[in-house]
Amino acid sequence: MRYYVLLFFVLLVSACGKPSGKVIAKIPEASGIDYCSKNDTLIVANDEGSYYEINRKGKILQKRKLGKYDLEGVVCEEEQMLFALEDKGILIVDAKTGNTEKVPLNTMYNGRKLPLFDKKSGVEGIAKEGNIVYLAKQSNKKKQSFIAVFRLTPYPSRIIDVIEHHVADTAGLTYHEGYLYMVSDKEDLLIKYDIEKKKSVQKVKLEEGAWEGIAFDHKGNIYLADDDGRVLKYKKKALGL
């Protein structure tokens, strides 16, 4: 009897340890998300070459097809949006005109070509701070999962560092208040990474999902994009951040 009571307690604690988010929108194959401070909205990338703009409550404001692209992450800036393309580089979209531009990336680093772009396990996340772009390489193997740090301009772009974080299947990435935040699809984890110290400083176990995007707004909310077709909203406090 004591064994069953103990087992029940362990299961209860485990269940309580995984905070549940609120589903605010259902978007097919949501593969990336970012917060647009200028419009107080969110941009959600889609595997089939489209993006959705939604408000913070999840209402879809617009949908736009960019083309035959596998969009795997997004950064929203005042004048432009940057989309990570799984096996092709970066697609820049002008916020006013809607014009697009592909940015090829030089993947040479320390005399060798990094296996960054690959159709089976290519780029799955993007973050940006100033002139520095972070691209998350997805792999089910920890040793092959990394973040390439690019100096985007002046052209040509080049890799200036590689972050080996030892987390498998990092499929979502964002920069927030001096830290990189990653989500792992395979491990259902949210990871807070200290760029200066070059190490992970916090890991949060998430509820089960196909996590492929993460974003923060200015109200203390966190949004996660789920490739199974959901956008979830959490309070930072609920995730212990």
Side-chain angles (χ1 to χ4, degrees):
M1 181 66 180
R2 185 178 298 176
Y3 168 80
Y4 291 108
V5 172
L6 179 60
L7 179 60
F8 174 77
F9 177 75
V10 170
L11 291 174
L12 181 61
V13 171
S14 298
C16 293
K18 298 178 184 178
S20 296
K22 179 183 178 182
V23 178
I24 62 168
K26 293 186 177 181
I27 294 176
E29 299 184 84
S31 58
I33 189 169
D34 199 28
Y35 174 67
C36 303
S37 58
K38 180 180 179 181
N39 299 326
D40 192 27
T41 57
L42 296 149
I43 297 294
V44 183
N46 163 275
D47 277 347
E48 300 301 319
S50 297
Y51 74 82
Y52 297 74
E53 183 176 11
I54 65 175
N55 66 19
R56 290 190 294 109
K57 292 183 178 180
K59 180 181 179 181
I60 296 175
L61 304 176
Q62 67 162 316
K63 173 189 175 183
R64 185 181 172 206
K65 180 78 171 180
L66 293 176
K68 293 183 179 180
Y69 300 112
D70 189 352
L71 305 178
E72 292 293 351
V74 57
V75 171
C76 185
E77 298 183 311
E78 187 169 335
E79 302 296 332
Q80 64 185 13
M81 293 175 286
L82 291 84
F83 292 90
L85 305 179
E86 185 172 22
D87 60 343
K88 295 180 181 178
I90 294 174
L91 183 72
I92 296 179
V93 180
D94 188 284
K96 292 182 179 179
T97 65
N99 293 336
T100 62
E101 176 190 2
K102 285 184 186 179
V103 180
L105 299 175
N106 185 346
T107 58
M108 294 297 295
Y109 181 67
N110 287 342
R112 68 186 183 95
K113 190 174 183 178
L114 289 185
L116 186 60
F117 298 108
D118 186 273
K119 289 184 178 181
K120 293 183 178 180
S121 58
V123 170
E124 287 285 331
I126 184 172
K128 187 172 183 284
E129 172 60 17
N131 189 37
I132 302 300
V133 171
Y134 302 87
L135 293 179
K137 158 78 173 183
Q138 182 188 40
S139 175
N140 287 326
K141 298 180 179 180
K142 293 181 180 181
K143 291 183 179 181
Q144 296 177 13
S145 184
F146 60 86
I147 294 173
V149 185
F150 281 86
R151 185 209 65 192
L152 196 59
T153 57
Y155 295 110
S157 62
R158 66 182 182 91
I159 297 175
I160 59 173
D161 197 7
V162 173
I163 296 172
E164 297 180 354
H165 46 66
H166 307 294
V167 178
D169 205 17
T170 47
L173 187 66
T174 195
Y175 180 94
H176 180 66
E177 296 182 348
Y179 295 92
L180 282 177
Y181 289 84
M182 302 169 252
V183 286
S184 169
D185 186 353
K186 180 180 179 180
E187 300 184 21
D188 293 328
L189 279 178
L190 188 160
I191 303 99
K192 182 179 180 181
Y193 186 88
D194 190 310
I195 298 173
E196 291 187 2
K197 295 181 179 179
K198 295 188 175 182
K199 67 176 184 179
S200 299
V201 294
Q202 189 176 3
K203 292 183 180 180
V204 179
K205 189 66 177 176
L206 300 172
E207 58 190 289
E208 186 175 345
W211 306 117
E212 293 212 354
I214 177 171
F216 292 76
D217 70 12
H218 68 296
K219 292 285 188 177
N221 299 305
I222 299 175
Y223 303 84
L224 297 183
D226 181 351
D227 193 50
D228 288 336
R230 304 178 299 164
V231 175
L232 285 81
K233 184 177 183 178
Y234 300 78
K235 285 290 186 182
K236 286 177 68 174
K237 186 177 180 180
L239 291 173
L241 298 173

